[in-house]
Amino acid sequence: MLLGAAVRRGRAGGGAARRWRSGAAPRREWVPPAGRACGVVAYNSRSRSKEPLVLAKDGVATWYSCGPTVYDHAHLGHACSYVRFDIIRRILTRFFETEVIMVMGITDIDDKIIRRANENLKVGHLLCEESAPFPLWFFEEAINWMPIWIGKIQDIPRLPMNISPVALARIYEEDFKQDMASLKVLPPTVYMRVTENIPQIISFIKTIIANGQAYATSQGNVYFDVNSWGERYGVLTAVSPDTQGEAVDTDKRHGRDFALWKAAKPQELSWSSPWGKGRPGWHIECSTISSAVFGKQLDIHTGGIDLAFPHHENEIAQCEVYHQCEQWGNYFLHSGHLHVKGSQEKMSKSLKNYITIKDFLKKFSSDQFRMFCLRSRYSSAVEFSDETMNDAKNVLQAISSFIRDANAYIKGQLVCDPVREDVLWERLASTKVNVKAAFADDFDTSRAVAAIMDLIHHGNRQLKAVTKDAVSPRSSVVYGSITSYIESFFNALGMSLEERQVAVGGGNTALLSNVMDELVSFRTKVRNYALVLPEATEAVQMEEGAVGAKGPKQEQKEKRRQLMQERKPLLEACDSLRGDLAAFGIHIKDRSTASTWEMAEGGRAEQQAEEKS
């Protein structure tokens, strides 16, 4: 099939460039690329169906990711998309032995960045003019922006009044990178800024004009001529350029034509070009940056579903004109929106319904958010609420609890009846197969997690504690293999599964763990002393001349009763300590002569301790 596709592509190639220059080009179906399949079938927005993921170079995936426009803090909607694709990247690397070369473009010059910098400057001027009148709009602006100017909101950069757009972008670019690190998102192979690629962008635009698909206007703007691209425009979405209306109050020829170069406005950051001073349009940036690294061959392009049109659609048109190729970007993967509970609208700054990543991480941990993302398909919309986050936390708690119990069993701290090893080995083997099959089916993480939870269910069924000491040997190896696989599974997906994990911002995690270990160890010694009473013969010997009116047996009973009464306060103190710690989210489990501890919610203990201090 691939050979046939290549032959068809070769036959069509000669006339393609002539058609592009002479008039509208016909729509063309997606063609499977030449190369080697990596073992995954992925939903491709370009073909609008699941396709085998075929890479041009065996074992290497070239990947372009649309990065942020850095004018403000990133929010949870951004985080959801980046974490989901980080999971996919890790799956390709760890489960399908594919090296990923990823480029992320950083939009560091844009209308939003300029507007944000100008608003800072405008208010700065007003604040400096003591006698200046303050109209109503100023006070409305002040209500929205004052916390940022005076720096009273924690974690918000204190921006100077006269900050330039480039400096503002650098501040929020670094802020974005810190947020990604907090979420354990792997950095791309390379970040590339728009402002560092202006000459390449200008050259890219000149080539599109030379190929007949763009035009410059007398006002210094350059637009892509969508009509000239004919039915080839609308690869990702059912868009027909013939249905668009004429432009109004603009120098465009047609309403759907989009800017490649924007003429500079007064006192606006700009660069010299053959069409006058100006700056790049949004869509041309990603096309140029991706092409500068990967040329005309790109395996994977990713972004949120809201970027499919017009951004990715325009990228495809620009690149296919520039490279004179039939198909640029073989696979387009889009993540679904993050919705706030009770709303069909996505989380966004424009709707003012967003939560910044920094604020989110004050309440939840990165592992909890990653589990939230794992429990749905990356391409589907997902609802964010306290309920869905609590669900993710409960799943993590169940996993950590099983690992602790299994480790206690391996150490001999948890005594159980004989284990059916053959059943557990079989379950472990089938889980590995099911997980790989789920990942191969469009990176179905929810199905993979379900397979892990099923394995945990069967492991837990045989970890039933018994009160008497068991004489049968422990099945430590099978439980060691199960916990090792579960931990390596989640580690591969970017999760630590640390039972004492706290939310980002708690700097004393290791200290807390060590203190709790020592505290529980001391409590265990006290509890064992209180519970273990002397044997009958020992009780008699503890009193010299234990001969009296009462017989030896009666003497033993009274002595034991006296010891129990004397040691009762120790047991009560142990129980009281356990209850007090439970209020802070730390639970102690007493098992025979040993005790273990766990934290119910990441960070809860430290948060409550801070509230009481």
Side-chain angles (χ1 to χ4, degrees), residues 193-210:
R193 297 171 179 148
V194 171
T195 56
E196 295 174 351
N197 287 273
I198 299 298
Q200 294 89 334
I201 291 172
I202 291 172
S203 176
F204 205 97
I205 294 171
K206 288 168 67 176
T207 300
I208 295 176
I209 293 175

Side-chain angles (χ1 to χ4, degrees), residues 86-209:
D86 181 69
I87 291 169
I88 289 177
R89 179 182 178 184
R90 291 171 183 268
I91 290 172
L92 284 174
T93 302
R94 299 291 293 273
F95 292 88
F96 295 93
E97 300 178 348
T98 299
E99 181 183 1
V100 174
I101 309 301
M102 177 184 283
V103 173
M104 180 178 287
I106 300 290
T107 300
D108 59 345
I109 186 66
D110 180 84
D111 290 340
K112 294 176 182 177
I113 297 172
I114 294 171
R115 183 164 55 249
R116 176 72 185 273
N118 287 343
E119 286 171 345
N120 236 45
L121 181 62
K122 176 174 64 177
V123 175
H125 286 162
L126 286 169
L127 291 175
C128 292
E129 296 174 9
E130 295 182 2
S131 60
F134 294 100
L136 178 61
W137 68 262
F138 169 73
F139 290 103
E140 292 173 343
E141 287 278 329
I143 291 172
N144 292 326
W145 290 91
M146 189 61 73
I148 296 176
W149 305 327
I150 63 179
K152 284 190 175 179
I153 293 183
Q154 189 179 7
D155 299 327
I156 294 184
R158 291 171 173 80
L159 303 178
M161 298 301 180
N162 60 343
I163 192 169
S164 70
V166 172
L168 183 140
R170 293 293 179 273
I171 290 172
Y172 283 113
E173 177 186 335
E174 183 60 28
D175 188 74
F176 168 79
K177 292 176 180 177
Q178 290 175 3
D179 282 345
M180 293 300 103
S182 297
L183 292 169
K184 301 180 186 177
V185 173
L186 296 172
T189 308
V190 63
Y191 289 104
M192 295 186 69
R193 297 171 179 148
V194 171
T195 56
E196 295 174 351
N197 287 273
I198 299 298
Q200 294 89 334
I201 291 172
I202 291 172
S203 176
F204 205 97
I205 294 171
K206 288 168 67 176
T207 300
I208 295 176
I209 293 175

Side-chain angles (χ1 to χ4, degrees), residues 216-464:
T217 70
S218 59
Q219 297 180 23
N221 296 306
V222 179
Y223 297 100
F224 188 95
D225 187 351
V226 173
N227 270 7
S228 71
W229 200 230
E231 292 184 0
R232 287 195 64 167
Y233 190 80
V235 172
L236 300 178
T237 52
V239 177
S240 173
D242 297 332
T243 62
Q244 64 193 17
E246 292 298 315
V248 180
D249 296 331
T250 180
D251 55 347
K252 293 181 183 181
R253 291 178 184 171
H254 307 284
R256 192 156 288 151
D257 293 352
F258 56 89
L260 303 181
W261 187 261
K262 296 182 177 182
K265 296 177 182 177
Q267 299 182 338
E268 188 177 85
L269 182 64
S270 62
W271 290 264
S272 298
S273 78
W275 318 285
K277 283 188 170 295
R279 56 186 174 84
W282 176 33
H283 313 298
I284 197 67
E285 301 165 358
C286 291
S287 293
T288 303
I289 289 173
S290 176
S291 296
V293 178
F294 299 124
K296 64 180 180 181
Q297 167 57 49
L298 177 66
D299 294 320
I300 301 170
H301 195 313
T302 57
I305 188 61
D306 52 318
L307 296 180
F309 183 86
H311 186 52
H312 291 168
E313 191 71 63
N314 293 348
E315 278 189 71
I316 292 171
Q318 291 166 157
C319 286
E320 291 184 353
V321 170
Y322 177 84
H323 293 295
Q324 298 286 278
C325 65
E326 299 253 350
Q327 183 168 290
W328 177 84
N330 292 325
Y331 299 88
F332 277 76
L333 276 57
H334 291 109
S335 59
H337 284 147
L338 180 73
H339 295 288
V340 180
K341 183 180 180 181
S343 172
Q344 294 302 311
E345 297 175 324
K346 69 171 184 175
M347 183 178 288
S348 70
K349 287 190 173 72
S350 60
L351 296 173
K352 301 186 185 301
N353 63 350
Y354 66 93
I355 302 168
T356 67
I357 295 172
K358 286 178 173 55
D359 285 341
F360 171 83
L361 289 175
K362 293 174 183 176
K363 185 176 181 181
F364 301 103
S365 73
S366 62
D367 274 10
Q368 289 162 0
F369 185 68
R370 195 162 284 243
M371 177 57 74
F372 166 80
C373 293
L374 284 170
R375 287 174 59 76
S376 62
R377 280 187 175 269
Y378 75 92
S379 56
S380 63
V382 61
E383 183 181 271
F384 173 79
S385 66
D386 284 343
E387 289 81 1
T388 53
M389 283 307 305
N390 285 333
D391 179 62
K393 287 198 295 184
N394 291 337
V395 172
L396 276 176
Q397 184 66 23
I399 296 167
S400 295
S401 180
F402 168 74
I403 291 175
R404 281 189 296 270
D405 288 347
N407 288 339
Y409 172 77
I410 293 170
K411 295 175 184 178
Q413 298 171 346
L414 177 60
V415 180
C416 301
D417 285 328
V419 167
R420 287 285 307 278
E421 287 192 40
D422 57 332
V423 173
L424 293 180
W425 283 120
E426 182 182 349
R427 286 288 176 180
L428 177 59
S430 64
T431 298
K432 293 179 179 180
V433 172
N434 292 337
V435 164
K436 187 73 176 285
F439 285 155
D441 182 14
D442 198 24
F443 310 102
D444 192 345
T445 56
S446 60
R447 205 169 97 208
V449 171
I452 294 292
M453 297 309 294
D454 184 64
L455 174 63
I456 288 173
H457 168 71
H458 286 280
N460 272 328
R461 287 179 63 182
Q462 300 202 45
L463 283 181
K464 300 295 185 182

